[in-house]
Amino acid sequence: PGFKSRVPISFHFNDYSCEELTQIGQLMLHGKSMKLAEGVDAALQRAIQVSTGCCLEADMENCVSSRDNGNGRSVRNIIEGSYRFLASRALRDAEKVGRIQELKEDAAKNLKLAKNKDSGKVKSVNYYIKQKLFTPPCEIAKNKDVCDHLRQVEAIDINSVLEENIFLNLHQLCVPLEGQVTKVALSDIRRKVRAIPLLTNEERAKVVSARDCEQGLSILEQGVARVKPGSKMLDEPLDLPMDQAPCSVREVFAELDKLVGLTKVKRVMKELYALVRFSQLREDLYLGSIAEQSFHMKFVGNPGTGKTVVARLVGEMLLEMGAVKSKESPHVSRRCLDPEKVDPEAPLPKLNFHEGSRSDLVGEHVGDTALKTIRTVKEALGGVLFIDEAYSIVQAGGKDSFGMEAVDTLIKEMEDKRKYVVVILAGYEDEMEDFIDSNPGFKSRVPNTFYFADYSCSELSTIGSLLYSKKGIELTQDGKEAMSSVVKITTGCCEDADSPDCVSRKDNGNGRSVRNIVEGSFRFLAARSLNDPDPEVQKELKSLQVAGEDYQNSWNTWYESECNSARNRVGMQRSRCRREFTKEKFYEMNSKKHLEWVGEPCTLGKYRCEILSIIKASDIEQVLQEQVYHNLHNLCSPTEGHPAKASLSDLRWQVRVIPTMEPEDVKKLKDITKCTEGVDLLKKYIAKLPQKESDPSLQEPVVVNLEEAPCGVKEVFGELQELIGLGGVKRTMLELYSLVQYSKIRENLLMKSVSETSFHMKFVGNPGTGKTVVARLVGELLLEMRAVEVRGKEHESLRCQPDGKKKEGTINFQEVSRADLVAEYQGQTAPKVIGAVENALGGVLFIDEAYSIVKAGGNDNFGIEAVDTLIKAMEDKRKEVVVILAGYEEEMNVFFESNPGFKSRVPITFHFDDYTCSDLMHIAKLKLGKADINLPTSPTGADDYERIIKFASGCCDKEEDCRISRENGNGRTVRNVVEATTRLMSTRILQEPVQPTAKELLANKEKWVIEYTTLKQQDLVVTANELAEGTLGRTCAKDGMVAMLTEAIAAGELRSFLGKDEPPGKQLFQIASKVRSAESDLGQLSDQTEVVQVCKRELKALSDAAQVQVAKLCGAGTVEGSLRSYASKLDPTKVLERSMATALATSAGSIESLISLLTSFEDVQLDSQLAAPFCTGCSTTCEEAMADLHKGHVMMSLGSLLTWTG
């Protein structure tokens, strides 16, 4: 309140009217020696009205206030935007550009004459103009037409700005999102464009009556922007003469043109170039610069669409053109260097490209944020500050004061330093729109938007072909066809991104996904090539390997000689040696002192290098097979606590694109009721897998020759092979080894390396399936294969000494969890994540239960920040660390879906299947053997022990019989069973009434050794009882859950169980499953297991109570039942009395709970005594009663009850 009395004067700044803003625009033009062509005032006012939402002077009293109504900066952006289109148009007129050049030369001569006339000190140009010693060319009447070419804004220039804004605002509004019909309603389109009043009455009526999104959009585009419906102005390439551009700029554009697609991006880049070049032409004629505008940009698009690459190029182009001032004065280009003028010892100039993120801007403590943001901008001066996923600066929820402070500071720095830095904000389109809208200051300070469209399928296939070509890999014709098919299925791309049939996804057209396909195919290419069974191929491979080693040794000799000589002669550093004395230069110079052959090895025609350079269709298809296998894995198995209910619609969504099938197979797919049959059919068509429930191509072991492998590699593989099961893991590791070896042969022969793939991995599976053990071995193996670099150190084996003797080394294995990555306070999370990654460099960062980084619910801002930081670090440090994300399959899939960045950065998935019963029995025998314990000698002893393990773990041997549980196939469960058996055997022995004396033990040592190391049948019975008691005892006790359910059913209070964490149906299903499992798995042992018999009795009591309630609700025999009674008592007028509605509503909860229980009993397939009373009569009766209610047109909600009736 102290302010009120101390601040007595207030100034209220009203929004400008449209007319005032138009005048402001004209003044801006005049200040730059620009003008509007005749009759263009109306076009400018229209553009301002649409862009700012301003009101006409006549309507100011009724004007709706908005924070950016009448915004002067928005007018500036329109004016500066028109310069881009004017510049592009002007530079295409070669005749006038030529005359401008002539005028420039004449002006230079005239200025020189003026300086000669004035013998005094050299003055500024303005001095000579004022003294009338020099007349600028554009003040001479005969030059008017040429000069107007540089200073007159036409209607087309203003309208192009408006068209661009409309395009960016309405882009993809009518394109459906994944799983939805359309992205927005037509009402959203109407709200999206502010100035609907600008439409004619006829156009307005058409928009209101439009039923189709595309139709409404077309009317808006035509009416608001006055463009042709479906205009593709931004999709058309811009052809500009580049002969006058500096060499370095031409190189930048040549590099840009090599990029696939990106038509809109390339067009806007050329428009920016045209603007700067146009401004230089104006300066040549003394009209003044117009290139002092803001060049900050917004890049919108999905991941992998080229944003980072283009950001570097656009920054470099602006620097080379002088639009952004460099740190060096004058600017030193890194392109078009003259070898004669370059100091060989000086570091090559490079673009100051600074990638920033939330962690670089947001501080840990109050007051730190502004300083960090200012420092980050300062570090990028003279270059580009690129902030990917910029919306993450401010965390969701609107309460991130640190993030908002960073944004406010960044906006001010962007304005103050606009001549010295280009800030590029990048991210997904929708999130970026919300982010920009959240602070009106962004709209006016970020005038340039680059839209990065998803690549089409053909463009992605071209990218794949280019990636192969860069590595010197040739695609067969079948390989090209396979690439097209695999790209379409894997990325979900469209051939026409603007087609209404194209479903929008955040990873459509993802270039990184194509990179993963290519790099994945190298794995299969390497395994196929190096392990080809053909003796002739093996002979050729051996000759290539020997030749490569010879060449490598020759180069090493030459390199050491030349480098040492240069170090002694001029003090050359080792880093400079590596750049100067390359293998390419070695072969080019071909010093016969060290090498007798001429040229590069594979150019001599002496070796069959092509066997290392041909990708076949099978190599690419196996990448898809692997992905489809993981997507469909266990889809048809029941989930924990539920029966198998995966529908065919689930199968269709699991794999994105179902190719055209034969008509009979389409019909078959629709009619299939068995889930596994649907999966097999999909596998056959999508991944060309055999129509079998197992996939031999992915399960058969790879045969790899390890005889010549380094000692350390052999040791790790030896330990890996000793692990039980894990066939898929072992196969993939052998493939990775083949890839590294294959790449080494290629490198020695001066062929391109193919082992630069990311080795980050996803481990999915239940606990106790070996994930942590394998993670350590995987890390060791990659280190032994030199696929992971150790910064600042030469490679050193952890397993073997140089002479081949074994040693014990320790891998840098960092195991972390959410607590190690997510901080308690603002600004501390990113440093924790970066620190965890730094600590794991040269080794493995293992994150078990990785999905816990982000808490369920989507409002965990700290967790989301940790994920964003981790993804960036994984990409930046991909050569120095292996990040392994592990956890349950379902949660890991959801976790990866939550951030599309994971999919492309984690290309390798290891699925840790549950151990089979035979695997677990094998593990149990090994553990018993280590403890010197033998199985019972009785005929059924070994089988009974396996039964106990099956009951305890829920394991299975046939996939179709498996029920997914997080305890299935758990190695830890086996350890617990073995320990329990050993403990109970020890107890039995010590409780024997007669114990042998020491003398008796020595006299009959062999007998007592057998006695004390051999289990007896009674030990198994006691073990089975203890395990069953631990599993079912509390549940089936007198006050256990079954008894409580029975009591609730009998009292009609079953609905009291609703709202608990687990519904009673799921709990009952689990209990009944365990009872059934005990009977089937334990066999005869269950008859001696008391708790199993108790559970059966309790479940029978529950079923009896439920049957009584069913009879009350649904009727039995001649008894009508309350549901039928409700239906029959409905008023003929179909008006439901309040009392009847209340009674129905009260019953709904109990009915829903009862149906849940009935379903559980039916699904668990209990024996006839338990199942028959429910599902033979009750189901039909209930359906009839509820159908009567439904036919009675009861217009009220009965929750799941009426939903269930259909």
Side-chain angles (χ1 to χ4, degrees), residues 44 144 185 249 339 364 393 466 525 694 714 766 770 822 837 863 885 1126 1164:
L44 176 60
K144 182 178 182 300
V249 173
E364 299 180 26
I393 297 173
L466 289 173
L525 164 63
S694 61
K714 289 180 183 177
N766 290 327
V822 179
V837 175
L885 306 165
Y1126 288 144
V1164 82

Side-chain angles (χ1 to χ4, degrees), residues 73 200 298 389 396 460 801 809 1022 1199:
R73 291 198 191 97
T200 64
K298 178 176 67 173
E389 298 184 7
L460 287 173
Q801 297 177 8
V1022 175

Side-chain angles (χ1 to χ4, degrees), residues 753-905:
S753 170
V754 295
S755 64
E756 296 170 356
T757 179
S758 169
F759 288 105
H760 302 312
M761 302 174 186
K762 177 172 69 170
F763 282 14
V764 293
N766 290 327
T769 48
K771 295 191 292 295
T772 307
V773 173
V774 171
R776 288 181 180 275
L777 291 175
V778 163
E780 277 198 67
L781 192 56
L782 292 172
L783 277 169
E784 296 291 347
M785 294 189 301
R786 305 188 185 189
V788 176
E789 298 175 359
V790 181
R791 189 186 296 176
K793 290 184 179 180
E794 293 293 328
H795 171 73
E796 181 181 348
S797 174
L798 297 173
R799 297 281 186 137
C800 299
Q801 297 177 8
D803 59 4
K805 293 182 179 179
K806 295 181 183 179
K807 69 174 184 178
E808 292 187 8
T810 304
I811 186 176
N812 182 17
F813 187 87
Q814 300 291 328
E815 189 169 356
V816 299
S817 62
R818 174 185 166 90
D820 302 298
L821 303 174
V822 179
E824 299 179 19
Y825 304 106
Q826 288 272 12
Q828 295 180 345
T829 292
K832 286 190 78 170
V833 175
I834 293 169
V837 175
E838 290 287 338
N839 290 338
L841 293 182
V844 173
L845 179 64
F846 182 73
I847 309 175
D848 202 3
E849 298 184 9
Y851 43 80
S852 67
I853 297 175
V854 180
K855 292 179 179 177
N859 294 322
D860 180 12
N861 293 330
F862 285 12
I864 293 169
E865 181 183 359
V867 167
D868 292 339
T869 309
L870 178 64
I871 286 176
K872 184 176 184 300
M874 288 168 67
E875 183 73 8
D876 294 345
K877 302 290 194 301
R878 60 191 298 216
K879 293 183 179 180
E880 298 177 82
V881 67
V882 176
V883 177
I884 298 179
L885 306 165
Y888 298 123
E889 183 170 12
E890 185 176 347
E891 283 87 339
M892 288 298 289
N893 289 340
V894 173
F895 180 54
F896 269 57
E897 289 290 340
S898 70
N899 195 310
F902 273 129
K903 290 184 179 179
S904 55
R905 290 173 175 89

Side-chain angles (χ1 to χ4, degrees), residues 630-650:
H630 288 307
N631 280 340
L632 301 182
H633 184 79
N634 280 342
L635 187 65
C636 298
S637 299
T639 55
E640 185 177 14
H642 289 295
K645 285 187 176 178
S647 67
L648 261 293
S649 60
D650 295 327

Side-chain angles (χ1 to χ4, degrees), residues 52-65:
T52 66
C54 64
C55 301
L56 298 172
E57 288 180 350
D59 299 327
M60 286 301 286
E61 289 186 5
N62 302 318
C63 190
V64 178
S65 179

Side-chain angles (χ1 to χ4, degrees), residues 167 170-176 214 217 221 230-236 264 451 453-456 493-504 508:
F167 170 82
L170 301 183
H171 180 76
Q172 282 194 330
L173 277 179
C174 297
V175 178
E214 296 285 349
L217 182 59
E221 287 178 336
S231 171
K232 299 291 183 182
M233 181 268 285
L234 293 174
D235 289 324
E236 297 170 0
K264 297 181 181 71
Y451 181 79
D454 292 332
Y455 290 111
S456 67
C493 61
C494 305
E495 198 49 63
D496 179 7
D498 294 325
S499 167
D501 298 327
C502 185
V503 178
S504 177
N508 262 22

Side-chain angles (χ1 to χ4, degrees), residues 125 195 532 646 1122:
V125 176
D532 195 308
S1122 58

Side-chain angles (χ1 to χ4, degrees), residues 6 29 107 126 139 233 248 381 391 412 492 592 628 653 736 744 756 777 885 1021 1072 1091 1093 1168 1184:
R6 291 172 176 84
L29 287 166
N126 286 334
E139 292 183 12
M233 181 268 285
S248 55
L381 292 181
Y391 39 79
K412 184 177 184 304
K592 292 190 177 182
V628 170
W653 278 110
L736 289 176
K744 184 178 178 181
E756 296 170 356
L777 291 175
L885 306 165
V1021 173
V1091 69
Q1093 305 308 316
S1168 57
E1184 289 176 352

